[in-house]
Amino acid sequence: MAKNKSIIGFEADTTEIRAVELTRVNGVYQVLACGKIPLGDGVVEEGFVRDADAFSTALAELLQNGNFKSSDVVVGVNNENVIMRYASFPKIADDKLRNMVLLQAQEFIPIPVQEMEIDYVVAGEGVNDEDQPVVYVLLVAARRNMLEQLITLLNASKLQVLDIDSSVLSLCRGLAPIAGDKKYALLNLTDDMLNFMVIRGNEISMVRSIAIPDRTQDAVEELFKSTANGAISDSVLSEVGSMLASETSSSVSYYAMQNMEEPIESIYFVSGAGRADELAKMIAETIYTIPVEAPRFYEGMNLGLDPLVVKEFAGCIGLAMQALEG
């Protein structure tokens, strides 16, 4: 009897490495392994691995102690070297769209495309101001040298990288069961990025990704460190909460001006930072017309994990699921 295929969803940022090994049996997903390991200061910075030995040692420990068996990996990335842009193009045949997108990508990306790996997701269709049919596209571009470095390190650990995807898009897959046909915004805070996306089903209406402002960077880093030691001051929480409320308010206002007839119905706030539920409440106090909540990812699916663990590893789970379905 053939062995069921399993795939590892993998993410690494400045604080830790996370991984989930997933398989699918008769259409039902099963988690075979799940784990994370902290990274020391300076091991990963701005998406680049600065200390390859420390990174490889941590990765080997995670794979061994977590009892991971598969060597097939899908990697999720989301840092300041990953750029997402919303764009529209004249509607043409599907087999010609890719060439058009790649040829015109430089108009939307502020970094020479020769330095980037570029992919895209069809985000919907519509008409422009001249009533001509257009296709909306989410462009995703990542620095080639960052990706090549990561692939080299994973290959050295006897892992085969099947694909590299956007961590933010993988989170959206976990929201589908709870969002239904609702138009929602995903607000995702990492230790160096803030992402805001507006989605309904498979249609993306807006995307905004910004680096954490310098004035708030230290406070954000403190919040993410607090997940390990549990200690965080109210002043740090207030500083980050104010930044999130301000950025969310401006994003919601911009979206509303462009899409008055299709308002955002819910905002899902996702973050691995400490006291994330309190941050969600602070955002809700500013955006009082739209519910703000921390979502229960993959609600209704029995993955054999505590809901809090599913939330923490939702990005990795989404990466592995997409690969298994592909």
Side-chain angles (χ1 to χ4, degrees), residues 10 12-13 15-19 35-40 43-44 49 51-66 68 154 157 159:
F10 177 95
D13 53 35
T15 60
E16 64 185 15
I17 300 173
R18 296 176 298 279
K36 65 178 182 177
I37 190 167
L39 294 173
V43 175
V44 175
V49 177
D51 187 337
D53 290 339
F55 183 89
S56 297
T57 298
L59 175 57
E61 183 178 341
L62 172 62
L63 295 175
Q64 181 175 354
N65 293 346
F68 288 86
L154 293 177
S157 297
L159 296 173

Side-chain angles (χ1 to χ4, degrees), residues 9-13 15-20 31 33-38 62 167 170-171 174-175 188-190 223-229 269-274 276-277 294-298 303 305-319:
F10 177 95
E11 294 179 309
D13 53 35
T15 60
E16 64 185 15
I17 300 173
R18 296 176 298 279
V20 172
V31 175
C34 177
K36 65 178 182 177
I37 190 167
L62 172 62
S167 290
S170 71
L171 289 175
L175 293 174
N188 178 54
L189 173 69
T190 71
L223 270 182
F224 276 87
K225 289 178 182 177
S226 76
T227 59
N229 57 36
F269 175 61
V270 180
S271 179
D277 289 344
R296 294 173 65 89
F297 284 96
Y298 297 105
L303 294 173
L305 299 174
D306 183 274
L308 292 178
V309 177
V310 174
K311 175 184 175 183
E312 187 174 9
F313 290 90
C316 295
I317 293 169
L319 292 165

Side-chain angles (χ1 to χ4, degrees), residues 78-154:
N78 181 39
N79 55 63
E80 60 190 76
N81 290 295
V82 180
I83 299 171
M84 294 194 295
R85 292 289 187 271
Y86 190 70
S88 64
F89 297 90
K91 183 172 174 55
I92 59 175
D94 291 345
D95 60 349
K96 298 180 180 179
L97 179 61
R98 184 171 185 83
N99 285 338
M100 175 183 286
V101 170
L102 295 180
L103 284 172
Q104 299 185 27
Q106 188 66 83
E107 298 177 18
F108 305 95
I109 297 172
I111 299 173
V113 294
Q114 296 85 350
E115 301 176 16
M116 313 295 286
E117 288 290 338
I118 300 172
D119 204 350
Y120 69 94
V121 176
V122 175
E125 296 182 1
V127 293
N128 59 19
D129 294 339
E130 287 77 37
D131 288 330
Q132 297 173 329
V134 295
V135 58
Y136 300 111
V137 165
L138 176 64
L139 284 167
V140 183
R143 285 193 183 273
R144 184 173 290 117
N145 55 349
M146 176 193 68
L147 301 180
E148 290 174 346
Q149 181 199 46
L150 191 54
I151 291 171
T152 297
L153 288 169
L154 293 177

Side-chain angles (χ1 to χ4, degrees), residues 80-297:
E80 60 190 76
N81 290 295
V82 180
I83 299 171
M84 294 194 295
R85 292 289 187 271
Y86 190 70
S88 64
F89 297 90
K91 183 172 174 55
I92 59 175
D94 291 345
D95 60 349
K96 298 180 180 179
L97 179 61
R98 184 171 185 83
N99 285 338
M100 175 183 286
V101 170
L102 295 180
L103 284 172
Q104 299 185 27
Q106 188 66 83
E107 298 177 18
F108 305 95
I109 297 172
I111 299 173
V113 294
Q114 296 85 350
E115 301 176 16
M116 313 295 286
E117 288 290 338
I118 300 172
D119 204 350
Y120 69 94
V121 176
V122 175
E125 296 182 1
V127 293
N128 59 19
D129 294 339
E130 287 77 37
D131 288 330
Q132 297 173 329
V134 295
V135 58
Y136 300 111
V137 165
L138 176 64
L139 284 167
V140 183
R143 285 193 183 273
R144 184 173 290 117
N145 55 349
M146 176 193 68
L147 301 180
E148 290 174 346
Q149 181 199 46
L150 191 54
I151 291 171
T152 297
L153 288 169
L154 293 177
N155 286 347
S157 297
K158 299 181 180 180
L159 296 173
Q160 180 181 0
V161 178
L162 302 181
D163 196 9
I164 297 178
D165 201 352
S166 162
S167 290
V168 181
L169 291 177
S170 71
L171 289 175
C172 296
R173 298 176 192 123
L175 293 174
I178 61 174
D181 193 43
K182 185 166 53 177
K183 174 148 283 193
Y184 70 91
L186 167 65
L187 179 65
N188 178 54
L189 173 69
T190 71
D191 56 349
D192 60 0
M193 290 293 296
L194 181 63
N195 309 106
F196 183 88
M197 296 180 64
V198 181
I199 305 163
R200 171 178 280 150
N202 293 322
E203 293 189 358
I204 301 169
S205 305
M206 175 182 169
V207 58
R208 182 182 182 220
S209 298
I210 64 169
I212 300 300
D214 290 341
R215 66 182 185 280
T216 321
Q217 184 65 58
D218 290 344
V220 170
E221 290 178 0
E222 283 296 317
L223 270 182
F224 276 87
K225 289 178 182 177
S226 76
T227 59
N229 57 36
I232 195 68
S233 69
D234 288 341
S235 62
V236 166
L237 184 74
S238 177
E239 185 177 348
V240 177
S242 296
M243 179 273 293
L244 287 171
S246 175
E247 295 293 350
T248 306
S249 179
S250 63
S251 296
V252 169
S253 296
Y254 179 81
Y255 172 82
M257 287 189 296
Q258 305 294 319
N259 303 270
M260 295 183 62
E261 297 180 357
E262 296 188 7
I264 297 170
E265 299 172 72
S266 290
I267 297 175
Y268 295 116
F269 175 61
V270 180
S271 179
R275 301 174 71 174
D277 289 344
E278 294 175 70
L279 290 173
K281 292 179 181 178
M282 296 175 72
I283 299 167
E285 290 172 358
T286 299
I287 317 296
Y288 59 88
T289 58
I290 306 174
V292 180
E293 58 185 297
R296 294 173 65 89
F297 284 96

Side-chain angles (χ1 to χ4, degrees), residues 7-41:
I7 292 177
I8 297 173
F10 177 95
E11 294 179 309
D13 53 35
T14 59
T15 60
E16 64 185 15
I17 300 173
R18 296 176 298 279
V20 172
E21 183 175 352
L22 205 66
T23 190
R24 186 169 62 171
V25 181
N26 297 325
V28 178
Y29 291 102
Q30 297 179 4
V31 175
L32 303 180
C34 177
K36 65 178 182 177
I37 190 167
L39 294 173
D41 291 343

